């Protein structure tokens, strides 16, 4: 990783005093939030120890190979996005992803532009309807209620199309089906500016911009975190790790399963937020082919199919120059599909592609499949506001447990939840809080 001062920003932490000599902070979880916290603390002179259950860093950022992102893919809203600075610091190339180069296919035929525009108009009507319903709804209302009332207004001929719109525009976006999303708060987060970008060399390249921890323990799950006014102790199967303070960045889905345990247990707003917030699933299949058998210039395409399977695909050929397609499934459908063996998942994806482009479509020469819901160190892809939850739950989750213990991660971000830059900012904010309050 880069040495301090190699970045285009100062290694000092503006406005914050340096930590007292010998201050030791443990960071649990080596995803973007954890790495950002380590970097911030290290630049302020804090001794850091990074503890990660996986045998790799990155968490839900997982670059298996250049162009093979098993976790996060996009930089969303690059205007004002701190990840752009990280990419610039390491010389990572960013390629605009052009959603206007998108096609819809149904029954093996490409929809003409006029019909494709009708899909966008249908979604715009649905979105406005949900916003109106959400303003009148209580916090316990489900987004599915607005979908149901909107469906009743549609002619029967458009109802199958509505299912595709809901699946592609909402279930994929939030990783959760509408019955698992709050009607009043489904459209959370700040507006993004500048479109989307992809990193052909891989998201993990950004980690080279960070200072390393003084100690790094991979493959070492933390079972219990004992905490109090005197500091923290991380209990692991291979011994205890003491520290003056800790930042815990494990995903919300893992916290929901009670891992790690906290002694004393988390209470108040933290426990309530963990229980009320939702954790969604978005899975991918990444297929490399011996040749290109689809339109070369499109960036993505949608499949309108009653099954809801493989409703959206991304074409990496314009991004990486390789004949690779990435297919998606979200929500409960993705969770059910995870139970199937790899061969069955690949066969399902190939049925979708051959139904779209013809039976002569070639078989893949390489395949990668994600199973985020059953991943024991993730238990889902990213967080969402479930019925009964509000942005206040995210604020409560990010609030200090006490002077020596904080939580961080994308689930703690009000402005950018479910996004990598939200996790980054959360990790930095937690580190700054410790720097401002530790004795």
């Amino acid at each position: 990783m880069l040495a301090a001062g190699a970045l285009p920003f100062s290694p000092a932490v503006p406005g914050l005093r340096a930590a007292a000599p010998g201050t030791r902070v443990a960071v649990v979880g080596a995803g973007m939030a954890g790495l950002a916290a380590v970097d911030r603390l290290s630049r302020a002179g804090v001794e850091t120890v990074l503890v990660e259950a996986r045998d790799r860093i990155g968490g839900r950022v997982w670059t298996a190979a250049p162009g093979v992102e098993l976790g996060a893919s996009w930089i969303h809203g690059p205007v004002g996005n701190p990840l752009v600075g990280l990419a610039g610091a390491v010389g990572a190339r960013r390629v605009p992803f052009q959603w206007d180069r998108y096609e819809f296919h149904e029954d093996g035929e490409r929809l003409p532009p006029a019909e494709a525009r009708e899909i966008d108009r249908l979604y715009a009507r649905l979105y406005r309807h949900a916003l109106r319903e959400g303003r009148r709804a209580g916090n316990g209302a489900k987004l599915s209620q607005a979908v149901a009332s909107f469906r009743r207004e549609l002619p029967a001929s458009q109802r199958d199309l509505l299912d595709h719109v809901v699946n592609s525009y909402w279930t994929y976006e939030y990783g959760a089906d509408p019955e698992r999303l709050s009607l009043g708060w489904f459209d959370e987060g700040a507006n993004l500016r500048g479109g989307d970008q992809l990193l052909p060399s891989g998201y993990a390249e950004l980690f080279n911009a960070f200072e390393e921890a003084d100690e790094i323990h991979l493959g070492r799950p933390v079972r219990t975190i004992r905490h109090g006014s005197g500091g923290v102790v991380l209990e692991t199967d291979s011994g205890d790790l003491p520290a003056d303070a800790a930042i815990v960045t494990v995903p919300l889905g893992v916290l929901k399963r009670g891992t790690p345990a906290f002694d004393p247990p988390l209470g108040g707003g933290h426990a309530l937020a963990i229980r009320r917030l939702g954790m969604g699933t978005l899975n991918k299949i990444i297929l490399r082919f011996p040749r290109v058998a689809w339109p070369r210039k499109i960036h993505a395409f949608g499949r309108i199919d009653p099954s809801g399977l493989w409703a959206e695909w991304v074409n990496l050929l314009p991004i990486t120059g390789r004949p690779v397609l990435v297919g998606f499934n979200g929500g409960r459908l993705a969770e059910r599909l995870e139970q199937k063996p790899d061969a069955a998942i690949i066969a399902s994806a190939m049925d979708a592609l051959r139904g779209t482009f013809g039976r002569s479509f070639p078989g893949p020469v390489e395949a990668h499949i994600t199973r985020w819901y059953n991943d024991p160190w993730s238990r889902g892809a990213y967080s969402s506001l479930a019925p009964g939850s509000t942005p206040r739950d995210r604020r409560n989750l990010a609030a200090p447990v006490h002077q020596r213990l904080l939580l961080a991660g994308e689930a703690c971000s009000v402005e950018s939840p479910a996004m990598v830059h939200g996790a980054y900012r959360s990790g930095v904010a937690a580190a700054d809080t410790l720097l401002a309050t530790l004795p």
Side-chain angles (χ1 to χ4, degrees), residues 360-419:
S360 63
F361 199 94
V365 296
E366 182 182 358
H368 299 267
I369 295 168
T370 69
R371 290 180 171 87
W372 288 109
Y373 181 70
N374 284 296
D375 184 318
W377 309 122
S378 182
R379 298 297 185 184
Y382 42 76
S383 65
S384 57
L385 289 183
S389 63
T390 74
R392 178 175 294 180
D393 290 306
R394 297 195 184 278
R395 294 188 185 95
N396 288 341
L397 196 63
V401 177
H402 55 69
Q403 191 178 27
R404 296 179 181 270
L405 180 64
L406 294 98
L407 306 182
E410 56 84 11
C412 296
S413 174
V414 174
E415 290 191 347
S416 307
M419 298 183 191

Side-chain angles (χ1 to χ4, degrees), residues 104-136:
F104 287 98
H105 292 256
E106 185 175 20
D107 297 328
E109 299 291 336
R110 178 193 173 203
L111 294 188
E115 291 186 34
R117 288 193 293 271
E118 182 58 35
I119 295 174
D120 290 334
R121 285 193 289 268
L122 180 63
Y123 171 67
R125 289 166 52 203
L126 172 63
Y127 179 80
R128 291 192 297 269
H129 176 84
L131 287 181
R132 289 194 299 270
E133 294 290 303
R135 285 193 288 267
R136 296 192 289 264

Side-chain angles (χ1 to χ4, degrees), residues 5-30:
L7 295 177
F9 44 81
S10 170
V13 180
L16 296 176
R17 60 179 172 82
T23 301
R24 175 180 168 93
V25 174
V27 176
V28 182

Side-chain angles (χ1 to χ4, degrees), residues 1-4 6-9 32 35 39 43 57 61 85-92 201-212:
M1 295 186 182
L2 293 181
L7 295 177
F9 44 81
M32 181 59 83
L35 295 175
D39 178 71
R43 293 175 188 276
I57 66 168
V61 174
L86 297 181
V90 299
S201 297
Y203 231 123
E205 187 177 6
L206 302 190
F207 298 151
N208 292 325
F210 291 140
E211 282 282 297
E212 288 186 349

